Amino acid sequence: MTPWSLRAAVRNGATGAVDAARRAIAATEPEVRAWVELVPGPAAAATTGPLGGIPLGVKDIVDVAGLPTRCGSVLRAGAAPAADDAAIVAAWRRAGAVPVGKTVTTEFAYFSPGPTANPAAPGHTPGGSSSGSAAAVAAGHVPLALGSQTAGSVTRPAAFCGIAALVMSRGRFPVDGVTGLAPSLDAHGVLAAGVDDLACAWAALTGEPDPAARAPRAPRLLLCTAGPLEPSMRAALDHAAERLRAAGMVVDALDGVDVDALTAAHPVVMAFEAARERAAELAHAGSLSVPLADLLARGAAMPEAEYRAARDRVARHGDAFAAAVDGYDAVLAAAAPGPAPYGLGATGDPVCSRPWQALGLPAVTVPGLHDDAGLPLGVQLVGRAGQDGDLLATGCRVAGVLRRRPGG
């Protein structure tokens, strides 16, 4: 099945959308395996809110009233149903979205993968940790799904599954009811088929004007090619820049920001904070995957001075980023080093998102590019903190160019 157009569903009215989602899930879930648990019985469709009853998938580290939050871990296998919605779920309900179930996450939103397949690249990983949410959107199960990002857990799955995603500015919405990993890095995310769908969802969630409806203006972008990019990704990024310039956009080179230093600081901060956030789980290290147990043990042994030094580096480079992007709308960068790796035993490398996540910046994954084998290649746009709507407006312009056939 093809992914939903959220904008078309809202425009045409969402009557019966939850039932349609249930049918779509039943048709392909045995192969996709995106869901942990569905809301039992008929879900009451929302009658208020601009989304008007659109079905929503929720990553299984985020509380939904009446469903357990198992976090992809055997330690939570017997979790009781949540008494209340997480704050972010309550916000989406007010916007008119209807949670239909919990989507697969990696273990405590780290690296140990779940069973989910990649609908856009059979046999290849859907990424992590928001793997179930990305696959549920890509498979056409739901038009919207919630994720979270601490390193690259929304951007990477969206890129691998050929869909769009928004990582919100850190702190834009509260994280009450979310099982986090590293408080200074954790951020909300949402996944949809296209950037225009994200813009529609953002307007419904926040009450802001629809970013896609803003008066057209040629964006000014900065191109970042840092990181261990595969040849196909480098070629795609260069190709995207050429097409955007041909469409009248400014695309200059990013200068004055030590992206490598930010990338190196991120895992230091992540390990130190995760060891304290998940201290109860560290006490049961034998029941954790080796990658998560190693992360928590490394963070627990880390001197606080090392952590503070990493935080200080992030702050300094954040100031440099703010200066570099003055007069520009966004940074254009790779969303992942390349296409989704083959196999389901690993989720891929989050390196392309680490520097921006360290700074708490919003990021939009833009689909539409592919390698020679037809596998999706995603690029991302990184904006200023707190300017998520502006970034989505830029993303709509960029996506409009990249989804057109060259010369079309």
Side-chain angles (χ1 to χ4, degrees):
M1 298 183 69
T2 57
W4 294 49
S5 167
L6 173 68
R7 190 172 291 278
V10 171
R11 182 173 60 247
N12 296 331
T15 303
V18 170
D19 289 339
R22 290 184 180 279
R23 291 193 297 271
I25 293 168
T28 60
E29 174 59 9
E31 295 78 35
V32 179
R33 303 180 72 182
W35 298 88
V36 176
E37 187 164 354
L38 298 176
V39 173
T47 56
T48 61
L51 294 179
I54 286 294
L56 177 73
V58 181
K59 182 178 180 178
D60 195 26
I61 65 166
V62 182
D63 287 350
V64 173
L67 296 181
T69 301
R70 298 191 178 99
C71 302
S73 171
V74 297
L75 295 178
R76 300 288 180 91
D84 301 297
D85 286 333
I88 190 66
V89 173
W92 281 107
R93 282 196 199 268
R94 289 192 295 271
V98 179
V100 296
K102 304 295 285 292
T103 58
V104 171
T105 177
T106 60
E107 177 196 34
F108 287 107
Y110 195 53
F111 280 136
S112 183
T116 306
N118 185 335
H124 296 251
T125 178
S129 61
S130 304
S131 52
S133 289
V137 170
H141 291 174
V142 289
L144 282 178
L146 304 190
S148 68
Q149 181 154 299
T150 307
S153 298
V154 170
T155 300
R156 187 167 83 262
F160 287 172
C161 292
I163 60 172
L166 168 67
V167 178
M168 300 178 193
S169 294
R170 189 165 56 248
R172 180 64 177 78
F173 286 90
V175 294
D176 306 52
V178 178
T179 302
L181 189 61
S184 78
L185 301 174
D186 296 340
H188 291 299
V190 60
L191 302 99
V195 181
D196 57 339
D197 296 320
L198 294 175
C200 175
W202 181 256
L205 179 66
T206 64
E208 296 177 10
D210 187 340
R214 296 187 184 181
R217 180 180 65 79
R220 294 173 53 83
L221 306 175
L222 290 168
L223 177 64
C224 175
T225 57
L229 304 183
E230 297 175 21
S232 62
M233 188 68 245
R234 288 193 180 277
L237 199 56
D238 289 343
H239 178 64
E242 290 172 4
R243 289 178 63 181
L244 295 172
R245 290 186 183 108
M249 300 184 192
V250 171
V251 185
D252 293 332
L254 175 65
D255 194 21
V257 180
D258 193 337
V259 176
D260 292 338
L262 282 166
T263 302
H266 176 278
V268 175
V269 174
M270 185 172 178
F272 185 90
E273 294 187 359
R276 284 140 187 88
E277 188 77 357
R278 302 267 64 87
E281 286 73 31
L282 181 56
H284 302 278
S287 297
L288 301 176
S289 67
V290 171
L292 181 58
D294 287 350
L295 172 78
L296 300 183
R298 186 167 69 252
M302 183 182 296
E304 185 170 352
E306 183 178 352
Y307 166 70
R308 295 296 175 192
R311 290 291 302 272
D312 289 345
R313 287 198 300 275
V314 170
R316 290 197 304 273
H317 293 301
D319 293 339
F321 178 89
V325 300
D326 185 39
Y328 290 87
D329 296 292
V331 171
L332 172 67
Y342 187 78
L344 302 182
T347 64
D349 192 340
V351 64
C352 293
S353 294
R354 287 190 187 274
W356 323 121
Q357 199 64 24
L359 296 176
L361 303 175
V364 170
T365 307
V366 181
L369 302 176
H370 298 81
D371 70 1
D372 290 341
L375 297 176
L377 289 169
V379 297
Q380 64 176 318
L381 295 167
V382 182
R384 296 176 179 80
Q387 297 186 15
D388 305 40
D390 292 342
L391 182 63
L392 283 167
T394 298
C396 288
R397 307 289 177 263
V398 170
V401 172
L402 296 187
R403 68 171 169 252
R404 292 199 297 265
R405 294 181 181 274

